[in-house]
Amino acid sequence: MTATPQAVKAVSSKDQHSISYTLSRNHTVVVEYTHNPDTDMFQVGRSTESPIDYVVMDTVPGSSVGEDVQVAQSTISRFACRIVCERGPPYTARIFAAGFDTSKNIFLGEKAAKWKNPDGQMDGLTTNGILVMHPKGGFTEESWPGVWREISVCGNVYTLRETRSAQQRGKLVEAESNVLQDGSLIDLCGATLLWRTAEGLLHTPTTRHLEALRQEINAARPQCPVGLNTLAFPSLRPRAAIGPGVEEKQPWAYLRCGHVHGHHEWGYRGPRAGVEGAAGVSSGICSPPRECPMCRTVGPYVPLWLGCEAGFYLDAGAPTHGFTPCGHVSSEKTARYWAQIPLPHGTHAFHTACPFCATQLTGENGFVRLIFQGPID
């Protein structure tokens, strides 16, 4: 439709969902959408207006829950994407780029990538795009990363553009679909979401299970091999809920070798400018190099935190591995999985990151096996 009374009525109607494709100043194609009684639509975006069901803000690497972090300019769209779920079994969920605004419209301006498919249907991409990665083998102990794809406004799957906002779309991938799977990652250009299914969560450890693992480790009374004081992981509450600092008995680790100690102030092998004491350290991102008294390995020395989001775990294994450089602890299979997932960063880069705090991983593997010492009595 091109500037017809029907098109104008569709765009201005508060009861009619529509998508407007602006091809030029005088040429706009309007596609109307009708109600489907067999599906429910959920919208995701930065806007706090009523059409958005899940408000998502930019993820700031290393920040704590509840911490007041200012983002200069968000790259997440106000109406980023929509997820349509079937009401009947198998409750299939499909993702589409762009969300309807308060007037139930989606507007793709002149600069947005758009085109007409061979079947005559219009389609397009949002400015920064909606990227999806489906893991191979589901979200299980045997999973491995899939390939990142871009999802169009109509839900078609394309290879990535040269940059997030490039005008030229990627190639159509006909063998793949926009159906979300357990463990699918959705990148909004500023935040990455993990999609979990109800069935998948049945096989995931619960917060109660993680708490039991924490108590089991603490009950074993791990000790600092030098100070011989007993160590204990703090509560699984988010870091902001227990204060910005670490607790007196909290385990610390040398991230090059994995030896676990209590907090101490010796072994520096570099400048200590800006380094705080135990009461003010919350991450090891800027930790100066320290020498492990057990093996003389020099590297970051940071407090350890048990990852408290159960949905990120692939299995219910013991928390034996720590991400570097942040010090979040998880099971070995969970650490190995996330350390091989390239997450979108900026307009064209990818890097691995800790799932609990989004800090970019460093080191040879992105994680280290932790070496605890038991009590000597």
Side-chain angles (χ1 to χ4, degrees), residues 21 31 33 115-124 153-156:
Y21 300 86
V31 179
Y33 282 72
W115 61 90
K116 180 181 289 187
N117 291 320
D119 60 1
Q121 181 182 12
M122 292 295 299
D123 203 352
V153 172
C154 293
N156 293 312

Side-chain angles (χ1 to χ4, degrees), residues 13-14 43 47 49-51 78-79 100-105:
S13 173
K14 293 184 178 180
Q43 300 205 139
S47 174
E49 297 180 52
S50 58
R78 295 174 63 244
F79 304 94
F100 295 98
D101 60 18
T102 51
S103 59
K104 297 185 177 181
N105 296 316

